[in-house]
Amino acid sequence: MYPADPMQPGPIYFMVPRRCGLFGVHCEGRNKQHNYIIDEGVSCGKGANVVISLLHHYFETYGDGEDHCNLHCDNCSGQNKNNYMLWYLLWRVATGRHVSVSLNFMIAGHTKFAVDWGFGIMKRKFRKEKVNCLDDIVRIVSSSSTVNESVLVGNELGEVNVIMYDWSSFLSSAFNKLPNLLEHHHFHFKTESKGTVFIKKNWESPEEAVRLLKIGRSVPLGE
């Protein structure tokens, strides 16, 4: 919430502060975290389409051209652990954007990882700084550590820098849903196995191949 002042004795009386969302992607190979700052004026919620759009922007803008990608996420089914995310990663490998992608979800109760470290550093600085506008949040995030970098999704005038796409509508015509998705924690996608996801309930479990691409359908290419 902003405006915010560390010297403020309590909530602003009869005023609703402006809300700012935060989404982080931490690249452990470079020890760099890109933090997407989402002002409420350009917010589209916190659903799968938003998360996938931000992840897509990260890959297309800040990716290193890697062939293999290993993703770790928490177990939030509305944002990360859902069929739309699986379809998106199947689409990425099928269209040659990656050769393979692994998607791993941490065990419930053990969901603190690198991105939370970056958030903790910036929140510690946020609590000590006076914040009057969105630019102040951008400055605080970027100056909180050499690890953190700000990415402004849109400004207070409603100008958009990161486009949100309707991935669910784009991909739903080509893919089927994975049964019992929430029971599994590890997913693997390969270019040579278009439309097929390899799943494991736990790390020690045997891997199972499940075809999600609908019969008679091809993977939509898009742009």
Side-chain angles (χ1 to χ4, degrees), residues 35-92:
N35 301 282
Y36 287 83
I37 298 172
I38 313 166
D39 181 67
E40 68 174 33
V42 295
S43 175
C44 298
K46 296 188 293 183
N49 281 328
V50 172
V51 171
I52 296 171
S53 295
L54 296 174
L55 183 61
H56 180 71
H57 181 272
Y58 176 84
F59 280 138
E60 299 298 306
T61 308
Y62 302 108
D64 290 324
E66 68 281 348
D67 291 329
H68 308 279
C69 180
N70 193 3
L71 298 173
H72 293 265
C73 311
D74 60 28
N75 282 278
C76 180
S77 59
Q79 300 176 27
N80 306 315
K81 198 172 187 179
N82 52 65
N83 283 284
Y84 306 121
M85 179 63 75
L86 301 187
W87 296 348
Y88 169 70
L89 296 178
L90 281 171
W91 174 80
R92 284 199 69 85

Side-chain angles (χ1 to χ4, degrees), residues 46-190:
K46 296 188 293 183
N49 281 328
V50 172
V51 171
I52 296 171
S53 295
L54 296 174
L55 183 61
H56 180 71
H57 181 272
Y58 176 84
F59 280 138
E60 299 298 306
T61 308
Y62 302 108
D64 290 324
E66 68 281 348
D67 291 329
H68 308 279
C69 180
N70 193 3
L71 298 173
H72 293 265
C73 311
D74 60 28
N75 282 278
C76 180
S77 59
Q79 300 176 27
N80 306 315
K81 198 172 187 179
N82 52 65
N83 283 284
Y84 306 121
M85 179 63 75
L86 301 187
W87 296 348
Y88 169 70
L89 296 178
L90 281 171
W91 174 80
R92 284 199 69 85
V93 297
T95 55
R97 287 170 167 82
H98 280 109
V99 174
S100 69
V101 177
S102 293
L103 179 64
N104 306 284
F105 294 92
M106 291 174 289
I107 300 172
H110 300 273
T111 55
K112 297 298 182 184
F113 56 137
V115 72
D116 293 297
W117 169 49
F119 287 156
I121 294 173
M122 71 180 72
K123 288 178 180 179
R124 182 174 60 187
K125 187 173 179 63
F126 179 83
R127 287 192 292 265
K128 298 178 181 179
E129 297 274 346
K130 187 173 183 179
V131 181
N132 292 314
C133 60
L134 194 61
D135 287 341
D136 287 340
I137 298 179
V138 172
R139 172 184 54 80
I140 288 170
V141 171
S142 294
S143 63
S144 62
S145 169
T146 55
V147 172
N148 283 321
E149 184 173 325
S150 298
V151 183
L152 190 59
V153 172
N155 60 29
E156 291 153 316
L157 299 176
E159 298 169 342
V160 177
N161 302 321
V162 180
I163 300 174
M164 301 296 161
Y165 298 99
D166 187 0
W167 292 98
S168 58
S169 298
F170 174 61
L171 298 172
S172 60
S173 62
F175 295 102
N176 292 311
K177 293 184 177 181
L178 177 68
N180 304 317
L181 185 154
L182 298 180
E183 296 180 3
H184 299 83
H185 288 80
H186 304 282
F187 304 84
H188 193 200
F189 311 85
K190 307 174 184 178

